[in-house]
Amino acid sequence: MRVQVAIIGAGPSGLILGQLLAKAGIDAVILEAQTGDYVLGRIRAGVLEQVCVDLLDEAGVGARMHAEGLPHGGFELLVDGTRHRIDLAGLTGGKQVMVYGQTELTRDLMQARQAAGLKTVYEAKDVAVSDYDTDHPRVSYLKDGVRHEITCDFIAGCDGFHGVCRASVPKGSIRNFERVYPFGWLGLLSDTPPVHHELIYAKSEGGFALCSQRSHTRSRYYLQVPLSEKVEDWSDERFWGELRQRLDGPANDALITGPSLEKSIAPLRSFVAEPMRFGRLFLAGDAAHIVPPTGAKGLNLAASDVRILGHALIEFYGRSTKGIDRYSERCLRRIWKAERFSWWMTNLLHRFPDTPPFEQRALEAELDYVVHSLAGRTTIAENYVGLPFED
C-alpha cells in the first residue's frame, strides 16, 4: 500500500487528523491495534476547550456535539465545605467549555470516516515503523495472519502512551520528563442526573472529589484514592458513601445515586517527551505527553497537536516545510503551559500523604488566595478554557 500519511492509532487524535487530511485531499490510512468496539468502550473525560470545538467543526464532525453537548460558563470549587464559583465566561471575555463525552466524540469521528469510505484497519497487530529518517518511511503490520507493508511520506504516531511509535525512537534521541503522583482517581459512571448543572471540584479532609457529567441524564464521579486500592473492593454503596463525605450539604441533598455502569481506577502522572518530531515521524497526543485529569487538558492537548500537525502537513503538500519544521517547538510551548496548570491544580486540590505541615499550610494559603482574588480566579479561568495559539 502507498499513502501520503500513515496514522498509527484510531483514538480521537488519529481520527481528527484523518478528517483534517481527508478534507484537504491528502490520502491517509489509520492503523489501530484494537477493535472499533474496544476503542468506543474507553471511558474518558469530555470537557472540550473552544479550540477543540472549533477543530471538530473544521473537521466536519461538530453537528451532534452542538446539538447534544452542554456548554458550561463556569465551575464550582468546594474547599472545606465552602463553594467558590469560577466564572469562566465572565473572567475570560465570554469563553466557555463544552461537556461532550469522548466516547460520543469518537463515535462521530468513526461514523464520518466510514461514511466517507476512508480506510481504517482495526486489529492491526505487531505494528512496526521504520525508515522514518528517510524520505520514504515504512509501516508494517499483521492482519489475519498476513504481514502487510505501507510506504508513505509521513508517519503520525497517535498511538498513546504505550504505543510503538515513541518506543521506536532511539533512546539517545528523546528526553522524557515525568512526575508520578502517589494516588489515583476512582471513577464511577451512572445513568443518574448530575448533582449540579456545572462541575464541582471538591477538596476535603478525606481527599479530592469531582462531580462531572456526560449529559443531563448521565453522571461521572471521581474520588482520590491511594494507589494501593483495588476497584473490586469498592461497592457502589461504599463509593456513594465516601462521595457524600467529601461534598457539602446542598450537593448531598441533590445527589441521586444509582447502579454503576463502569468503575475504574486511573493512576495520575505528568509526562512529556521531547522532541515530538523525528525525521518524518511525528508524535501526537498521549504518545508525547500525559497530564493528570485535574485540569481537563488531555483530550484538548491531543486536539491541539493534530491541529498543528494537520495544518503543517497541508502546508507541506502546498510546497512549504515551515509548519513541519516548527511542529515540535509550537506543540511543546502549549504542552508545557498545560502541564504546569494541570500539575498546579493537582497540587492545590489533592491531599498528598507525605506533605510536611509547613508546605500543607502554604498550599492552603495559596488556594485561599486564588479563590478570593480576582487575579487568582482569572488565572484559573484563562488556563481552564484554553490559552490562544501562538505563532
Side-chain angles (χ1 to χ4, degrees):
M1 187 189 303
R2 173 74 172 88
V3 297
Q4 290 170 295
V5 181
I7 301 170
I8 316 300
S13 57
L15 290 169
I16 294 172
L17 179 60
Q19 284 299 114
L20 294 175
L21 297 179
K23 289 178 73 67
I26 296 171
D27 185 28
V29 64
I30 299 179
L31 303 181
E32 168 57 48
Q34 305 295 339
T35 65
D37 287 342
Y38 181 92
V39 173
L40 281 175
R42 296 168 179 156
I43 304 298
R44 298 289 188 271
V47 177
L48 311 182
E49 298 173 0
Q50 189 63 50
V51 166
C52 189
V53 171
D54 293 343
L55 185 63
L56 293 171
D57 286 337
E58 181 184 343
V61 294
R64 192 162 74 99
M65 170 190 64
H66 287 292
E68 300 179 12
L70 307 177
H72 280 204
F75 65 86
E76 301 271 359
L77 284 177
L78 174 59
V79 182
D80 295 328
T82 302
R83 291 200 195 191
H84 309 270
R85 184 171 185 267
I86 304 299
D87 181 3
L88 298 175
L91 293 164
T92 63
K95 294 180 181 180
Q96 57 185 6
V97 296
M98 177 79 78
V99 173
Y100 188 61
Q102 183 170 316
T103 299
E104 301 310 313
L105 182 154
T106 304
R107 192 188 313 277
D108 296 342
L109 288 161
M110 290 172 68
Q111 290 177 349
R113 188 165 182 83
Q114 184 177 21
L118 302 173
K119 187 171 182 60
T120 304
V121 180
Y122 289 99
E123 298 183 271
K125 303 301 182 182
D126 193 26
V127 174
V129 299
S130 59
D131 295 343
Y132 52 80
D133 54 349
T134 74
D135 290 344
H136 305 286
R138 292 183 297 124
V139 179
S140 66
Y141 65 96
L142 200 63
K143 174 71 174 177
D144 298 328
V146 179
R147 173 64 61 180
H148 301 264
E149 184 171 284
I150 300 169
T151 58
C152 54
D153 298 329
F154 298 98
I155 301 170
C158 305
D159 52 344
F161 183 76
H162 298 289
V164 68
C165 289
R166 191 181 76 248
S168 299
V169 175
K171 287 184 169 54
S173 301
I174 194 167
R175 186 177 182 189
N176 297 330
F177 302 83
E178 187 169 27
R179 166 76 159 97
V180 177
Y181 298 88
F183 43 73
W185 277 16
L186 169 63
L188 180 147
L189 186 71
S190 64
D191 274 337
T192 54
V195 71
H196 190 59
H197 68 281
E198 294 179 336
L199 275 61
I200 301 175
Y201 290 77
K203 181 176 184 177
S204 71
E205 284 298 323
F208 171 82
L210 172 61
C211 302
S212 187
Q213 55 195 257
R214 295 293 177 267
S215 68
H216 291 300
T217 59
R218 179 165 289 186
S219 300
R220 181 72 164 165
Y221 296 98
Y222 298 95
L223 295 173
Q224 174 190 347
V225 296
L227 291 175
S228 57
E229 291 288 338
K230 305 294 183 185
V231 68
E232 54 268 24
D233 295 333
W234 284 82
S235 65
D236 289 355
E237 291 73 20
R238 183 185 176 193
F239 183 96
W240 294 120
E242 182 59 32
L243 179 63
R244 288 188 180 279
Q245 293 295 318
R246 302 186 190 188
L247 299 180
D248 61 356
N252 273 304
D253 291 342
L255 180 64
I256 298 176
T257 64
S260 62
L261 302 176
E262 185 269 351
K263 281 202 298 280
S264 57
I265 297 178
L268 271 62
R269 65 155 45 92
S270 298
F271 174 84
V272 181
E274 295 184 0
M276 294 170 59
R277 179 193 178 187
F278 304 89
R280 293 198 166 204
L281 168 65
F282 299 87
L283 303 181
D286 288 0
H289 46 78
I290 298 286
V291 289
T294 325
K297 293 300 170 197
L299 175 57
N300 293 296
L301 274 185
S304 296
D305 289 349
V306 295
R307 176 187 185 272
I308 295 171
L309 181 56
H311 292 175
L313 292 173
I314 293 168
E315 287 178 17
F316 174 86
Y317 289 108
R319 299 296 185 266
S320 172
T321 64
K322 181 179 178 181
I324 62 172
D325 290 341
R326 296 191 59 213
Y327 170 72
S328 186
E329 172 197 350
R330 290 192 66 201
C331 287
L332 286 168
R333 287 187 68 187
R334 191 172 184 84
I335 288 162
W336 275 112
K337 289 173 184 174
E339 291 279 354
R340 183 212 65 83
F341 177 65
S342 301
W343 163 81
W344 179 69
M345 286 279 283
T346 303
N347 278 278
L348 279 184
L349 297 178
H350 290 74
R351 299 284 181 184
F352 284 72
D354 56 352
T355 304
F358 180 89
E359 280 79 357
Q360 183 60 49
R361 288 298 180 92
L363 285 169
E364 292 169 1
E366 183 174 8
L367 184 54
D368 185 59
Y369 162 76
V370 166
V371 298
H372 290 100
S373 160
L374 176 60
R377 295 193 304 275
T378 301
T379 292
I380 287 184
E382 285 180 343
N383 281 272
Y384 196 88
V385 300
L387 298 173
F389 275 92
E390 302 172 359
D391 290 332

